[in-house]
Amino acid sequence: MRVKDLILLLAIIYSYSAYTQNMVEYTSGWEGKIENSKTFNLKVEIENLGLEKARFKIFNRTNIIDYPFNIKSASLIEIPFSENYYFKGVLSKNGKEINGFIKSGMLLYHLKLTQSDNNTFVGIWNILMVDELKSLNFYLSVENGAGNEYEAYPIFGDNRFTGTWCDNFKKENDSLSFTDFKTGLQFKGKLATNEILLDIYLGNNLLTQIGLTKSTTDWEIGGFKNDNKTSILQLTEMEKLISKDSLPNTHSVLISKKGKIIYENYFDGYNANIPHDMLSASKSISSSIVGIAKDKSLFKNVEQSIFDFLPKKYQIHKDSLKTKIDIQSLLTMSSGIDAIDYGINANPKSSATEQNYQRTPDWIEAILKAPMIHKPNTKANYGSANPALLGVAMDSVISEPLELFIDKFLFQKLGISNYIIQSDLKDKPYFGGGMYLTPKDMLKFGELYLNKGKRKSKRVISKKWVENSFKNYRNLENVVDKNGYGYLWWHNTYQVNEKSIKSIEARGAGGQYIFVIPYLKVVVVVTSGNYRNGKTQQPEAIFKKYILPYLEN
């Protein structure tokens, strides 16, 4: 056989073998190393703003995005720097900073870009939320492989990153691709014998490349040492229990009294710079946005029907009962829509639970199609569909992009810039939960309500709205403790030293709590990672047993 023919035959054999690679062979755990601890901490620059040669840049150790753009509006900077990615922001009145958001995946990452020199604005985008990776270990779980079918889930050794939500698994010949629709990161892999070469992209732009081999030992995930601070208040018993894992997955505990931080500590490698997933605790922030809109007379009153705010295509769901769903009923979980969340129990497909409506292409359509089980404003049942409708209502009355309104009228006034907002499928802020704030900024938000809407003597929300928010309208019927409920705020009472102490609380799954205790002039924040072990209410035990007794002394 001629050499030329032999080469051709080998090429055909290789091509055929690559094409017929069976994903059963790759169904396993894989591991490799990330290039460096700052790979996902991206620098963002806007150069020559307002000039013809303006550029939007994203880079780490190498240039990733270099996008030329022109501003069409002096009041709004919009930069679609890659397919399905954009930056949207506003230049401050003094011209020295730009506050805006990068939309990537399901997240709106807030960035504050400050002016350096030569009309250049500079900021940092931490796409994995953490300020620097504590572990360079990277793992890939390839599952359910059969022929060209498979699922693949990236897992970082630094578990302070909340993880990926991957989908859109594809295979062509020896190439794989899938997407993390939470962060927007794209993964593309090349299959080889006993190896996967995995590229991670931002759009079509390469971020980093990782060589993976099959795992032969258990994965090393988390386990980072605490870097605790010295605080005025000593809570040594609580700290010992956290360190011994008797109060597992506690990530932070912060306490302020009369506006002064008296205790601040972080655990499991967390620190003051990492925004924590608040999950449903951010429903209380959603309530504040409704209040700010009301204070600005962007809608008349909380007795207005939700159908006064909904786009025309949703009006077909209006009937004699649903038209009575008003803003107040949504704020108090009393809409009457079958949106009851019973946790892990099976939910009827017709109900408007998050598990159901978030699997549909139009969340609001799915919510409005659900049956009514009560007359509005009569019975309260906890469910995220209620604040989800509030988000649509607020978007309809606010003229600017909703996320920029939130930033301008709430977070900038609180001095908060390091945060992330989860969006819905239409790139709008999702009022049902999922915002990321640092624990210290969660504390600031709690203090805003403790101080009846003021921050450092400046009014942010009206006193009346705060007072109405903290009222107990009715008890939640679908939670074990039958808690009272305000405007997306929980009520609870703790018995300590024969005293009954009332607390108003923002709560999120996994153990994300903001406790506001007006009687003591105290705000307490606890963040946690108890998502699947049944300890989601552990912060209440921490608060009652290991914090309140010391505050009472």
Side-chain angles (χ1 to χ4, degrees):
M1 182 180 290
R2 293 180 302 173
V3 173
K4 185 177 180 180
D5 293 335
L6 179 60
I7 293 173
L8 179 60
L9 178 62
L10 290 172
I12 292 171
I13 292 171
Y14 173 78
S15 177
Y16 178 77
S17 64
Y19 183 80
T20 58
Q21 281 171 325
N22 192 327
M23 288 306 297
V24 169
E25 301 171 13
Y26 292 87
T27 298
S28 180
W30 299 79
E31 61 186 78
K33 293 284 186 182
I34 297 167
E35 184 179 5
N36 67 71
S37 62
K38 291 281 191 179
T39 294
F40 297 94
N41 303 107
L42 308 176
K43 293 182 180 179
V44 178
E45 288 186 356
I46 293 179
E47 294 180 355
N48 303 318
L49 183 66
L51 303 178
E52 288 185 8
K53 294 183 179 180
R55 307 193 77 85
F56 181 81
K57 295 183 177 182
I58 298 177
F59 54 95
N60 46 25
R61 296 175 71 181
T62 60
N63 188 48
I64 300 166
I65 302 284
D66 190 346
Y67 181 82
F69 70 96
N70 291 313
I71 296 177
K72 296 181 180 180
S73 168
S75 60
L76 182 62
I77 302 167
E78 295 185 272
I79 307 171
F81 60 86
S82 188
E83 186 178 0
N84 299 321
Y85 302 81
Y86 62 77
F87 174 83
K88 191 179 291 183
V90 177
L91 182 66
S92 63
K93 289 182 180 180
N94 62 13
K96 293 185 177 181
E97 67 181 39
I98 298 170
N99 280 281
F101 295 84
I102 285 181
K103 172 63 171 60
S104 183
M106 293 287 289
L107 301 177
L108 292 158
Y109 294 84
H110 181 264
L111 269 69
K112 182 167 76 172
L113 307 178
T114 55
Q115 190 176 37
S116 56
D117 51 23
N118 300 324
N119 205 27
T120 297
F121 294 83
V122 183
I124 298 294
W125 176 21
N126 296 327
I127 195 167
L128 299 186
M129 294 84 168
V130 299
D131 50 354
E132 183 175 9
L133 292 173
K134 281 184 171 290
S135 169
L136 299 182
N137 293 334
F138 179 91
Y139 306 103
L140 184 69
S141 177
V142 179
E143 303 173 10
N144 302 319
N148 286 338
E149 302 297 320
Y150 71 99
E151 296 171 13
Y153 301 102
I155 298 168
F156 289 77
D158 190 335
N159 62 347
R160 300 174 304 164
F161 167 55
T162 55
T164 58
W165 301 344
C166 288
D167 203 353
N168 198 26
F169 306 106
K170 295 179 181 178
K171 178 179 180 291
E172 184 176 353
N173 298 336
D174 63 344
S175 297
L176 304 177
S177 66
F178 50 95
T179 302
D180 173 22
F181 64 89
K182 182 169 77 172
T183 63
L185 290 174
Q186 310 282 325
F187 295 84
K188 298 180 181 180
K190 281 284 185 181
L191 301 176
T193 304
N194 299 321
E195 185 180 14
I196 300 176
L197 189 61
L198 190 69
D199 294 339
I200 304 178
Y201 286 81
L202 188 62
N204 295 319
N205 305 277
L206 183 66
L207 265 176
T208 191
Q209 187 176 76
I210 305 172
L212 304 174
T213 57
K214 280 190 177 181
S215 299
T216 57
T217 59
D218 292 337
W219 291 349
E220 295 179 9
I221 298 173
F224 307 124
K225 293 181 179 179
N226 300 332
D227 185 20
N228 290 351
K229 297 185 176 183
T230 300
S231 298
I232 297 170
L233 186 64
Q234 299 299 308
L235 299 176
T236 53
E237 184 181 3
M238 180 195 72
E239 291 172 8
K240 286 178 181 178
L241 291 170
I242 292 173
S243 65
K244 292 178 180 178
D245 212 27
S246 297
L247 295 170
N249 304 314
T250 300
H251 296 160
S252 73
V253 178
L254 289 84
I255 306 169
S256 70
K257 187 165 188 175
K258 297 180 180 179
K260 182 178 181 180
I261 295 178
I262 60 174
Y263 186 86
E264 178 184 5
N265 264 318
Y266 303 89
F267 310 92
D268 287 351
Y270 283 80
N271 61 49
N273 301 317
I274 299 175
H276 201 283
D277 190 352
M278 294 175 65
L279 293 137
S280 286
S282 61
K283 285 180 170 68
S284 302
I285 296 177
S286 300
S287 172
S288 71
I289 304 307
V290 180
I292 291 170
K294 175 64 179 66
D295 293 341
K296 294 183 177 298
S297 300
L298 298 181
F299 65 95
K300 295 178 183 178
N301 53 60
V302 295
E303 287 77 33
Q304 280 185 264
S305 169
I306 185 61
F307 287 94
D308 292 352
F309 306 91
L310 295 178
K312 185 178 179 180
K313 70 173 184 175
Y314 298 126
Q315 296 295 327
I316 60 171
H317 300 291
K318 184 177 181 179
D319 59 33
S320 59
L321 191 55
K322 284 184 177 175
T323 193
K324 295 177 182 177
I325 299 172
D326 58 18
I327 297 298
Q328 179 155 293
S329 71
L330 296 170
L331 287 165
T332 58
M333 297 290 180
S334 307
S335 66
I337 293 176
D338 185 6
I340 300 174
D341 187 356
Y342 288 113
I344 62 173
N345 295 332
N347 297 297
K349 291 183 179 180
S350 62
S351 72
T353 63
E354 266 190 323
Q355 298 96 317
N356 285 343
Y357 69 74
Q358 288 190 352
R359 294 173 181 169
T360 69
D362 189 329
W363 294 1
I364 302 306
E365 175 77 14
I367 291 169
L368 293 172
K369 284 172 66 176
M372 297 289 286
I373 55 175
H374 299 296
K375 182 181 176 181
N377 287 308
T378 59
K379 295 186 178 183
N381 285 284
Y382 186 86
S384 295
N386 295 283
L389 289 175
L390 283 174
V392 178
M394 293 306 100
D395 186 58
S396 75
V397 299
I398 293 169
S399 58
E400 61 195 296
L402 181 53
E403 63 271 23
L404 293 178
F405 179 90
I406 294 170
D407 184 61
K408 180 180 179 181
F409 292 107
L410 179 63
F411 289 131
Q412 285 190 40
K413 291 181 181 295
L414 296 180
I416 294 173
S417 62
N418 182 15
Y419 69 95
I420 303 159
I421 300 174
Q422 182 182 326
S423 71
D424 60 18
L425 296 181
K426 297 182 180 179
D427 296 348
K428 305 289 187 181
Y430 175 54
F431 272 37
M435 193 175 285
Y436 294 70
L437 262 66
T438 68
K440 191 175 287 187
D441 289 339
M442 292 169 67
L443 200 71
K444 288 181 185 177
F445 180 72
E447 289 172 344
L448 175 67
Y449 273 73
L450 179 69
N451 296 325
K452 298 183 178 180
K454 284 187 175 182
R455 167 73 174 171
K456 293 182 177 179
S457 75
K458 293 184 178 180
R459 177 66 60 190
V460 179
I461 307 174
S462 68
K463 180 181 178 181
K464 183 178 179 181
W465 183 265
V466 172
E467 289 174 346
N468 288 340
S469 297
F470 276 7
K471 287 180 181 177
N472 184 356
Y473 291 88
R474 53 190 61 88
N475 291 358
L476 296 170
E477 298 190 358
N478 63 325
V479 300
V480 174
D481 297 329
K482 309 297 181 187
N483 298 78
Y485 205 72
Y487 282 179
L488 302 181
W489 285 91
W490 296 70
H491 285 244
N492 207 356
T493 302
Y494 298 87
Q495 300 294 327
V496 179
N497 298 331
E498 298 182 354
K499 282 187 178 180
S500 295
I501 298 178
K502 293 183 178 180
S503 173
I504 314 295
E505 300 167 3
R507 296 185 180 184
Q512 327 313 325
Y513 277 66
I514 304 174
F515 302 85
V516 180
I517 309 95
Y519 166 69
L520 297 173
K521 295 181 172 58
V522 162
V523 178
V524 176
V525 167
V526 180
T527 61
S528 322
N530 292 308
Y531 305 109
R532 298 178 182 86
N533 60 5
K535 295 182 179 293
T536 194
Q537 290 181 266
Q538 179 175 274
E540 294 173 50
I542 292 173
F543 178 64
K544 179 180 179 180
K545 296 179 182 179
Y546 308 111
I547 295 177
L548 264 181
Y550 294 92
L551 296 176
E552 269 285 276
N553 292 336

